[in-house]
Amino acid sequence: MELVAVNTYIICKPYKLKEDNKSLIVNNGNTDCFAEVISCQTDGYKKGDIIWYDKAFARECTIAGEKFIAVDKANVISTVEGV
């Protein structure tokens, strides 16, 4: 199965930051708002990118036991590099 993003949505899978990446974000325990892009039709993001997104506006879904996240491009806060 392949999910293909439409419009300005970005389809992702949850991403857990590695423990050796110590920063204020990781240390405050709020790390469930990072995801790896698996499908995107909008400019600026590509498959494999790690994004930090506003969880309040994301949609989560479990399909065949796998968790997926749909995030609108407007609700992406940042890309994360060097992880």
Side-chain angles (χ1 to χ4, degrees):
M1 174 188 69
E2 181 178 350
L3 296 176
V4 179
V6 295
N7 299 324
T8 59
Y9 279 98
I10 302 167
I11 307 299
C12 307
K13 286 189 174 183
Y15 184 84
K16 184 152 179 82
L17 292 173
K18 296 178 180 92
E19 290 297 322
D20 59 346
N21 289 328
K22 296 295 182 193
S23 67
L24 291 176
I25 294 171
V26 174
N27 286 341
N28 77 14
N30 189 17
T31 61
D32 61 347
C33 51
F34 295 95
E36 181 177 358
V37 174
I38 62 167
S39 179
C40 182
Q41 299 294 327
T42 187
D43 292 337
Y45 305 98
K46 63 187 180 312
K47 187 174 182 174
D49 283 349
I50 306 302
I51 61 169
W52 175 23
Y53 65 95
D54 187 341
K55 193 171 177 173
F57 297 101
R59 302 291 183 251
E60 296 180 359
C61 180
T62 301
I63 302 172
E66 286 189 78
K67 185 175 178 182
F68 295 93
I69 303 162
V71 180
D72 191 283
K73 179 181 179 180
N75 296 313
V76 174
I77 299 165
S78 174
T79 56
V80 181
E81 297 182 2
V83 293

